[in-house]
Amino acid sequence: MLAWLRRLILGSPLSNERAMHERLPKILALPIFASDALSSVAYATEEILLILVLAGTAVIDSRLLPAIAIAIVTLLAIVVTSYRQTIKAYPSGGGAYIVAKDNLGDYAGLTAGAALTIDYTLTVAVSIAAGVDAIISAFPALAPHRVPLCLALIGLVTVINLRGARESGLLFAMPTYIFVASAFTLIVVGLYRLATGGFTVAPPPLESIPHQTRMLGLFLILRAFSGGCTAMTGTEAISNAVQAFRPPESKNAATTLVTMAVILGTMFLGISYLAWAGHVIPMEQGTHGYETVISQIAKGVFGKIWFYYLIQGATAAILILAANTSYAGFPRLASIMARDRFMPRQFYNVGDRLVFTNGILFLTVLSAILIIVFKGIVNALIPLYAIGVFLSFTLSQYGMVKHAIRLKERGWNRSVLISGLGAVTTGIVTLVISITKFTGDKPLFTLPINGHVYTITAGAWIVILFIPLFSYVFMKIHNHYITLGNELRLTPEDKFKPINNIVLVLTPSLHRGVLPALEYAKGLSPDVRAVHIDTDPIDSRLLEERWETWGGGIPLVILESPYRSLVGPLLKYLEEVKRERPNSLVTVVIPEFVSTKWWHRLLHNQSGLLLKFMLLFRRDIVTANVRYYIQK
């Protein structure tokens, strides 16, 4: 039943020969690896406005918003140019982690890996939460169900990705291209309306407008800039997954990266300009009647006609599917780090649908925890966002500077200039984001100390704390694998040694299911003992009476259990056996009978499973199950 359901939901296994056919053409790779970056235009402009409005709604009418948008797009162009060089230099993929590790050392590589792990997790949480916001903007009655909606959509994206990269690309391509087409239509029609008389955006209710709390200054402008930099998240995903493209991999990946950057930059500038020209005022999330900035623009340009709902639907779809960028990028990154023994080996394994199943499931769990902790509120998650990705940008580009200087290939001076400029600019942005977002506005929890209650807010401090923590964990994993490898390595002194084996057959009663276990034990060792734990004196006497006939000459040991425990007397007896034969191996044979129907198993004790679990990690003890299958 479970196997049938799994095949129904995830599909039949794919053979290794299908791996090349699962590689992606550019038209499918764009929605898979660029959906995060493209979707960010739905909230990046809003994040700028939410900071600027803290200085008063009049600031929104100034030219700050277009200026900040132009600065961010300029930065995007620098980063994309640098990442094109990364794709060419490292066609096997791995992005910032590989570049930093190869050129700056293990610690820099682990820092990049930790930053990307956090960023990929936040991408899923932020994208899903923002998609639910778009749904709630069109249908406000769903607001109380924000968290369950987020979790359900994470589950949906997970299942789609578990079916395979090609299938997820086919499913995600249409919504992504519909969003791009509808966004460009909104921008073109909006610009036309501005040129022919303008459009009107209804002012939001006063209670939903953030209160003026700051004076306009450099810090506030930098904070607005750092909020808008969320538009660049996801830019690195293509460089992490070059091998997912069809040959020629590097060329196709670089082309897709530039295409993504052009589309993203154009849409971000267009939406930001319309928001500024239309005097859009952002609403505080969580208030009654909350509506996104892009919803306000679409309603002002088109009114509440069918195209407005198309834009809202496409926006919600692209935001939800933007999580797919992380599902495409993180499992591949985790696989490369697992290959280098910095992450658990399980992340390296490819599932039966030719995807990294364990990485996908791990990402799902982490992002679901974030949604629950932060209640699916985008503005609470945003302060954590972008630090990881900009830190990885900086390490990658500085690594490319070292790479170009070391190899000194043709045109290396130009490469150093491009990557160096990118490293300096993204490094400055990383500092700006870290400082301006260090403490957020949304309370996370309260901490009572000496009679005072302190409110801890969600901010960049969480990411700054977790990046070195993750790096430390990665290094500990690596050290374990190195130690284990040294321990298991064969040397000329290693020889086969004879093993003295003592076999204990657990015998709760005497029936047909026990006899095969006794016969199996006799084949393992001449020293076989049947062990019965006396929890019921009547059953024990009956067993003793029948043992001479059916015991096969094997001695029967009865262990007293005055408190009717199975585990305690057995463990005590095992210690006695080990003291009796200190250099011997003890094999514990557990007879089991297997019913034909699953619900029959609920009617019987699972004591064998408990005993096996208790013996699992004990030194020099082997457990073996001998099953007897019931025919009816």
Side-chain angles (χ1 to χ4, degrees), residues 41 45 58 108 165 222 230 319 383 400 406 412 423 426 460-461 514 545 584:
V41 300
T45 299
L222 290 175
T230 55
L319 285 168
M400 287 303 298
R406 187 177 78 249
W412 68 275
T426 55
W461 66 268
V514 173
E545 292 170 1
S584 297

Side-chain angles (χ1 to χ4, degrees), residues 43 125-135 150 285 292 315-316 319-320 376 378:
Y43 53 80
V126 171
S127 299
I128 294 292
V132 169
D133 277 350
I135 296 173
C150 288
Q285 196 173 20
T292 62
T315 302
L319 285 168
I320 293 165
V378 175

Side-chain angles (χ1 to χ4, degrees), residues 253-528:
T255 302
T256 305
L257 178 65
V258 172
T259 304
M260 179 272 295
V262 171
I263 296 172
L264 169 60
T266 305
M267 290 196 302
F268 178 58
L269 286 175
I271 295 295
S272 298
Y273 182 77
L274 291 179
W276 171 72
H279 312 287
V280 175
I281 300 175
M283 298 187 187
E284 192 169 24
Q285 196 173 20
T287 57
H288 178 70
Y290 168 74
E291 187 176 7
T292 62
V293 164
I294 201 167
S295 174
Q296 293 182 61
I297 295 172
K299 193 188 296 182
V301 173
F302 295 103
K304 269 205 167 183
I305 61 171
W306 66 270
F307 196 79
Y308 164 79
Y309 288 102
L310 174 65
I311 291 175
Q312 286 304 101
T315 302
I318 187 66
L319 285 168
I320 293 165
L321 300 182
N324 188 63
T325 296
S326 292
Y327 280 99
F330 171 75
R332 295 177 183 278
L333 171 66
S335 173
I336 293 171
M337 293 183 69
R339 179 199 64 194
D340 295 339
R341 295 183 288 189
F342 288 109
M343 290 191 78
R345 181 69 180 179
Q346 295 90 323
F347 289 107
Y348 182 70
N349 300 331
V350 179
D352 58 8
R353 292 290 298 178
L354 296 176
V355 293
F356 299 101
T357 304
N358 293 322
I360 291 172
L361 295 176
F362 182 74
L363 183 61
T364 295
V365 172
L366 288 184
S367 55
I369 291 172
L370 275 180
I371 288 291
I372 293 169
V373 170
F374 292 93
K375 300 176 183 178
I377 303 296
V378 175
N379 299 143
L381 289 163
I382 285 294
L384 286 68
Y385 209 27
I387 295 178
V389 69
F390 273 91
L391 178 58
S392 66
F393 285 166
T394 304
L395 290 171
S396 173
Q397 291 171 114
Y398 180 52
M400 287 303 298
V401 170
K402 301 274 285 187
H403 176 83
I405 292 174
R406 187 177 78 249
L407 296 183
K408 292 188 176 179
E409 295 175 336
R410 183 178 179 183
W412 68 275
N413 289 323
R414 184 174 63 88
S415 297
V416 168
L417 179 63
I418 294 171
S419 298
L421 179 62
V424 170
T425 52
T426 55
I428 293 171
V429 172
T430 302
L431 290 175
V432 168
I433 295 174
S434 300
I435 295 169
T436 59
K437 291 188 175 184
F438 190 81
T439 56
D441 299 320
K442 299 294 180 181
L444 187 59
F445 58 88
T446 56
L447 191 66
I449 300 176
N450 296 330
H452 297 281
V453 178
Y454 297 92
T455 301
I456 308 300
T457 58
W461 66 268
I462 299 175
V463 178
I464 294 171
L465 173 67
F466 271 86
I467 286 176
L469 180 61
F470 274 36
S471 300
Y472 174 76
V473 171
F474 294 153
M475 186 56 72
K476 294 295 287 185
I477 291 171
H478 185 72
N479 291 340
H480 163 73
Y481 280 129
I482 295 297
T483 302
L484 180 65
N486 293 333
E487 185 75 19
L488 296 177
R489 186 175 292 111
L490 290 171
T491 65
E493 291 75 26
D494 291 308
K495 307 291 182 183
F496 281 104
K497 299 176 182 178
I499 295 177
N500 297 319
N501 191 11
I502 304 170
V503 183
L504 308 180
V505 183
L506 301 186
T507 311
S509 60
L510 200 52
H511 50 70
R512 285 184 177 178
V514 173
L515 296 184
L518 295 172
E519 291 294 335
Y520 171 76
K522 289 167 70 175
L524 293 178
S525 171
D527 188 353
V528 179

Side-chain angles (χ1 to χ4, degrees), residues 94-332:
Y97 163 72
I98 287 292
V99 174
K101 179 175 174 292
D102 281 0
N103 298 286
L104 306 176
D106 285 349
Y107 290 107
L110 294 182
T111 301
L116 286 172
T117 298
I118 293 171
D119 180 66
Y120 279 134
T121 306
L122 283 166
T123 293
V124 176
V126 171
S127 299
I128 294 292
V132 169
D133 277 350
I135 296 173
I136 291 173
S137 292
F139 305 99
L142 295 174
H145 309 291
R146 182 187 301 274
V147 172
L149 280 172
C150 288
L151 295 178
L153 291 171
I154 288 176
L156 176 62
V157 176
T158 300
V159 170
I160 294 172
N161 277 277
L162 288 173
R163 290 188 62 89
R166 186 173 179 83
E167 287 201 26
S168 64
L170 291 169
L171 287 169
F172 295 158
M174 188 60 70
T176 302
Y177 288 120
I178 289 175
F179 170 75
V180 171
S182 61
F184 273 107
T185 302
L186 172 63
I187 293 168
V188 171
V189 175
L191 292 174
Y192 174 78
R193 292 284 305 275
L194 286 174
T196 56
F199 59 86
T200 303
V201 176
L206 289 176
E207 65 272 13
S208 65
I209 302 175
H211 298 294
Q212 180 176 349
T213 58
R214 314 280 173 86
M215 293 292 292
L216 181 64
L218 179 61
F219 183 82
L220 199 70
I221 295 172
L222 290 175
R223 190 175 172 190
F225 172 77
S226 65
C229 282
T230 55
M232 293 179 58
T233 56
T235 306
E236 80 292 340
I238 292 174
S239 69
N240 285 336
V242 178
Q243 288 301 306
F245 287 79
R246 285 182 178 174
E249 293 87 349
S250 296
K251 181 179 178 181
N252 288 335
T255 302
T256 305
L257 178 65
V258 172
T259 304
M260 179 272 295
V262 171
I263 296 172
L264 169 60
T266 305
M267 290 196 302
F268 178 58
L269 286 175
I271 295 295
S272 298
Y273 182 77
L274 291 179
W276 171 72
H279 312 287
V280 175
I281 300 175
M283 298 187 187
E284 192 169 24
Q285 196 173 20
T287 57
H288 178 70
Y290 168 74
E291 187 176 7
T292 62
V293 164
I294 201 167
S295 174
Q296 293 182 61
I297 295 172
K299 193 188 296 182
V301 173
F302 295 103
K304 269 205 167 183
I305 61 171
W306 66 270
F307 196 79
Y308 164 79
Y309 288 102
L310 174 65
I311 291 175
Q312 286 304 101
T315 302
I318 187 66
L319 285 168
I320 293 165
L321 300 182
N324 188 63
T325 296
S326 292
Y327 280 99
F330 171 75
R332 295 177 183 278

